[in-house]
Structures are given as C-alpha cells and as structure tokens.
Amino acid sequence: MTGSEQARASGKPHVVIVGGGISGLAAAFHLRNEPVRVTLFEASSRLGGKLLVSDVAGVAVDEGAESLYANRKKTTGLIKEAGLGEQIMSAGPVTASAIWTKGTIRHQPDRQFMGVPCDIDDLARSGVLSAEGLERAQQDLVLPSFDLEGDISVASFVGGRFGQEVVDRLVEPFLAGVFAGRASDLSFEATLTPLARASRDHISLADAAGSLVPHLKEGEKPPPVSVATLEGGFGTLPAAIVQQVLDAAPDTALRTGTPVRDLTRKGERWQLTVGPATDPEVIDADAVVIATPAGPTGSLLAGVPGTSAAVSALAEVPYSSVAMVTLAYPRTAFPGGLSGRGYAGYRVPAEEGKAVKEVTFTTVKWPHLAGDVEIVRCSLGRFGEEHLLQLDDAELVALATAELAEATGVTGVPVASRVSRWESALPQYNVGHTDRVRKIRETVAAQPGLAVCGAVYDGVGVGVCMMTSRRAVDQILPFAKKAAAASAVAAGV
C-alpha cells in the first residue's frame, strides 16, 4: 500500500506541497499540527531554496537572503515557534546604506522611503544630485497632483514628480537591491505599494513619502532599520523548520531530488506525477500547495482545465539572476576601518556602469560577526545582466575586489572569498503585476483544494514568502478535510 493509500484508508487527508524553498517549508510548518499527512517534493538536492549559510574565513555567512524585518510579528513568531527565538540577532546601530555616485560614496538623505526623498533640503545636503537634478526635484512641491489611473512604472511616476536623477541615483539602486530590477519596468503599485497608497492622499510625492517615515528634529538622525538575522546565519532557518515539522508530524515525507512533472484533477482529488521521466510515480492527494517559481507553477497548472488565465499570467513574470561575492579582508585593509563610516554598505546606480550593484559591510551590519576579519558581501546582477553569471569565480572575485577598492580604498587582496550564484532568483514585479497576481489567485481559488504561494505574489522577502504560505494553507485545509471525510464515508470507515 502506498503512502497516499495509507493516508486515505485512515481518513487522514493527504496534502502535497510542491517546492522545498522557504515558502514550501513554511507551508509544511503551518500544517504540522493539523490532522493531515504531508508530502513535500523538492526537485533539487536540498531544502531551503535561497537560504544557505557557509563559512568564509571561519565565519558563518549567508549566501543568499540574510535578514528580515524584526517588527513583523507573524514572521518572528514563526521563527520563535521553530525554536530559534533566542538566536534572533538584531542588526547593529548602523544599518544605513550610502550611494556611490559621481566618484565618491555619499550618504543618502536621512528622510527617504525606499529611495524616494521626503525633504528637499535634506536631499540637497546629501549631494547625491547635480544642481540641475535638484532644481528639477524641487518641482514636486509645486506640480499639480498626479492622478494614478492604472499601473505605471516606478520611473514614470517618481520621475514625473522628481525628475530622472532621483530615479537613477536613489530609487533604482534601492529596487536593484530588492528585485535586481529596472525602475523603467517595475510596477509603482506592486513595488512601492505603501507609497502608491499614500500618494492618493497627497499632492506632493515628498509629502506622501514623509507620511510613511518618522519626523525628525533638526540634527536628529533616523532610527536604525529594524532588521534581524539568526546567530548562526539566516540559512539555519530551513533546518530548524524541518526539525519542528518532523517532531510534530513524524509521518511527514520530505523528498528531495524529486521533481513534480504533472498535475491533474482526478474526480474529487488531485493526481501528481513525480520523479524521473524514466521511472515516474503517481501520487494522489486531497489538496496541493504549489510553492515554486512562476515557470514551474505555470507548467503544472497547464494540465489543469480552467487555469489558462493563471498560466498566461505566470508566463508574463520574468526573472533576474544574481551573484553574491563574499570577501574577507584583514581589518587593517580598510583605511580608517569600516565601523566608523556611518553606513553599513552602499548601493551603486546603474548609470555608473559597474558590475557590483550593492555592497554590505557584513561585520558592521551584524556586530556579532566582528572578529579578526571584515566580511563584505558584493551583489552583482541586475535584470538583463545575466551574462555576469557566465564569468568564472575568479573573474567575479576580481571584478568585485577592484570595484570595492575603487569605492572604499581597501588595500591588498582578500584572505578568503566565496561566489554564490542564484540563477532566475528574483521575480520581476513589472507593470501590471498586481493584476497578474489577482488573475492567478482567482483562477487557482476556483480549483478545490489547490493554492499557490511564494515570492511571485506579495513580495520577495523571506517574511512575506512565509506569510503567503499561511494564506495558502488556510485556503486548502477545508477542502482537504472535506475530501477525506467523503472518502472515508465512501469506504465505509
């Protein structure tokens, strides 16, 4: 008797999760205390997706995502439930990111929201803009309100208020760090959602942005961003979640190296074809959660009648690839040190023509990692720059070290380095993304016992991905229980 048959015979609903990244693992976590049996399939050889940690010069440093917003109680609550509450480490007092522009590193305006300035005088003091760019930015205060009819790009909306320099030197570098995307493509509504909402109540975009950040007294600095990581690295979270799932629900099956090739509806239940094409296995399920990127999700839904709208919408979501080059230097290699510079890294506008788009001074941002070496993470790759990932490790390290030296004056060579490649890592929330997500969810919701979750929908951050899994679980549970009860009645149990 197969596992699916055993679950059905016992009257216990069988839920299949497709995808073993943080979204899929969080879905399994949310199901661990429910009266269901869970099988999770992951095509790759490991669980955790873009959460991975390894040593660089003896220091455990994340290879992918490294933090989440500490003030999101639902996210930190899950981490605490996973037994890692005592390992949550807040960032140090310095979390601000500067901008490398016009040949030097410049502090960002103190008051800004995701790169959008709140105070024109503050913007002028930063020195980020040219005189012409500053004069154009000041027009935001006198321009008539810009009624937002339908979705437009970040560049169109923000540029229409402040001018192109604000987009190029402040906003796009921020979005490149989050989405590895381009302001000319990214949706204002989907990427700067709180600002899009606030802009409906303010004539000036600076005033709208100002309504979202604390007001500061003269000379007062903004409070540090409330972000946190885990003591052993954020990449330790997947293993902790897995342990909690198996402790609470030992009949959970977590199968790596097992791609799901087909999904079909069979009566009141679902049928999945998994494993290699040469030796396929058929799995029955009462409910299915798909926690994979847009491409694989669309491929699975293509076998389900009535989902063509979702398949088309998913096909319209492009992805960007990135590389992370992590470098370790002697502390004396940085003139004047890193900790006293007043920022924990810097962003690089695309117009500078550099390969590195963002630099994080890891041992400044996370003081608990400080020791004999300074750890620096360099992120490379914006949308359309996939060719960078074709360079070998030595070439990527050479690029990163040369540009880091130009910006910071660091001398010598790193004592250790690591290159992490993340192909098709980040979905692009391009213009129209909110409508695409709505179509996907409405179409999938019409299929009993089927739900989707992951970075495609509400945000690419780890915390948001975990919250989408909670929504997916809430959506499929009633159907799973109903289907199991009907099956038990039919079997005379």
Side-chain angles (χ1 to χ4, degrees):
M1 183 180 291
T2 67
S4 296
E5 290 169 339
Q6 290 173 346
R8 183 169 39 189
S10 67
K12 201 173 186 182
H14 185 210
V15 178
V16 167
I17 300 171
V18 185
I22 191 59
S23 300
L25 290 178
F29 184 83
H30 293 311
L31 287 165
R32 74 194 187 286
N33 293 322
E34 298 289 346
V36 299
R37 177 181 176 273
V38 173
T39 302
L40 182 148
F41 295 103
E42 166 57 36
S44 72
S45 60
R46 69 174 190 86
L47 300 172
K50 299 171 189 67
L51 294 184
L52 181 64
V53 65
S54 62
D55 282 3
V56 179
V59 181
V61 185
D62 284 299
E63 297 197 36
E66 64 164 3
S67 64
L68 51 70
Y69 288 110
N71 57 357
R72 289 179 176 167
K73 294 182 179 180
K74 290 183 179 179
T75 303
T76 55
L78 186 149
I79 292 174
K80 291 174 181 177
E81 288 183 62
L84 297 178
E86 294 183 358
Q87 296 183 38
I88 296 176
M89 306 293 291
S90 296
V94 179
T95 58
S97 185
I99 297 290
W100 184 22
T101 181
K102 297 187 289 186
T104 189
I105 293 180
R106 302 173 186 273
H107 288 272
Q108 290 188 100
D110 287 332
R111 296 190 72 235
Q112 48 87 24
F113 178 81
M114 298 177 79
V116 177
C118 307
D119 185 318
I120 299 299
D121 291 335
D122 184 28
L123 175 63
R125 287 190 294 269
S126 72
V128 170
L129 303 188
S130 67
E132 295 79 10
L134 183 62
E135 182 178 359
R136 173 62 184 86
Q138 290 172 331
Q139 293 181 27
D140 171 66
L141 302 177
V142 297
L143 286 172
S145 62
F146 189 84
D147 293 330
L148 188 59
E149 296 182 3
D151 195 16
I152 64 174
S153 72
V154 172
S156 295
F157 193 92
V158 178
R161 299 299 310 184
F162 288 106
Q164 193 62 35
E165 277 196 32
V166 167
V167 174
D168 291 343
R169 298 185 185 180
L170 288 170
V171 180
E172 182 158 89
F174 181 93
L175 295 174
V178 177
F179 295 95
R182 306 279 183 176
S184 57
D185 299 322
L186 293 171
S187 158
F188 179 60
E189 182 179 2
T191 60
L192 301 180
T193 306
L195 184 59
R197 292 171 181 164
S199 67
R200 300 183 182 106
D201 299 322
H202 296 81
I203 296 176
S204 161
L205 189 56
D207 289 342
S211 71
L212 301 172
V213 300
H215 286 277
L216 303 175
K217 298 178 182 178
E218 187 174 350
E220 183 182 9
K221 291 294 182 181
V225 179
S226 180
V227 294
T229 190
L230 295 173
E231 186 174 4
F234 211 46
T236 61
L237 180 59
I241 290 177
V242 166
Q243 190 60 56
Q244 289 292 322
V245 168
L246 295 178
D247 286 347
D251 59 348
T252 298
L254 304 172
R255 297 176 56 178
T256 57
T258 311
V260 178
R261 300 187 177 280
D262 188 47
L263 173 67
T264 58
R265 188 77 177 166
K266 185 180 180 182
E268 296 298 315
R269 309 184 78 225
W270 294 97
Q271 192 172 82
L272 302 94
T273 303
V274 307
T278 54
D279 187 22
E281 179 183 357
V282 176
I283 302 292
D284 292 328
D286 295 293
V288 177
V289 174
I290 305 176
T292 54
T297 300
S299 296
L300 289 178
L301 292 179
V304 179
T307 62
S308 59
V311 173
S312 297
L314 287 160
E316 295 174 359
V317 181
Y319 276 71
S320 183
S321 299
V322 297
M324 190 69 67
V325 178
T326 305
L327 307 170
Y329 285 90
R331 299 186 69 180
T332 55
F334 289 91
L338 284 180
S339 60
R341 299 193 177 204
Y343 49 89
Y346 58 89
R347 301 185 180 109
V348 186
E351 66 177 9
E352 298 292 333
K354 304 297 182 182
V356 175
K357 61 186 174 70
E358 186 173 22
V359 169
T360 301
F361 301 153
T362 300
T363 38
V364 174
K365 184 175 181 180
W366 309 114
H368 67 280
L369 297 180
D372 295 333
V373 295
E374 297 282 16
I375 303 293
V376 178
R377 296 205 324 166
C378 302
S379 178
L380 298 84
R382 302 172 182 85
F383 185 73
E385 295 180 347
E386 287 74 15
H387 62 279
L388 287 173
L389 270 70
Q390 304 306 313
L391 301 176
D392 62 32
D393 287 2
E395 291 173 312
L396 285 173
V397 170
L399 259 179
T401 54
E403 293 184 8
L404 183 67
E406 184 181 355
T408 68
V410 65
T411 58
V413 296
V415 298
S417 63
R418 181 191 66 198
V419 175
S420 309
R421 301 166 191 272
W422 301 103
E423 295 187 10
S424 299
L426 293 166
Q428 298 299 287
Y429 285 22
N430 288 347
V431 172
H433 188 77
T434 301
D435 282 342
R436 283 188 283 274
V437 171
R438 178 184 53 77
K439 288 179 184 177
I440 295 165
R441 281 190 161 140
E442 287 179 353
T443 302
V444 171
Q447 300 292 325
L450 183 65
V452 293
C453 60
V456 178
Y457 307 102
D458 300 320
V460 299
V462 171
V464 179
C465 289
M466 291 193 291
M467 285 189 281
T468 67
S469 68
R470 175 76 266 180
R471 175 174 178 170
V473 165
D474 289 344
Q475 184 174 325
I476 59 94
L477 262 179
F479 294 100
K481 293 176 180 178
K482 180 180 178 181
S487 179
V489 169
V493 177

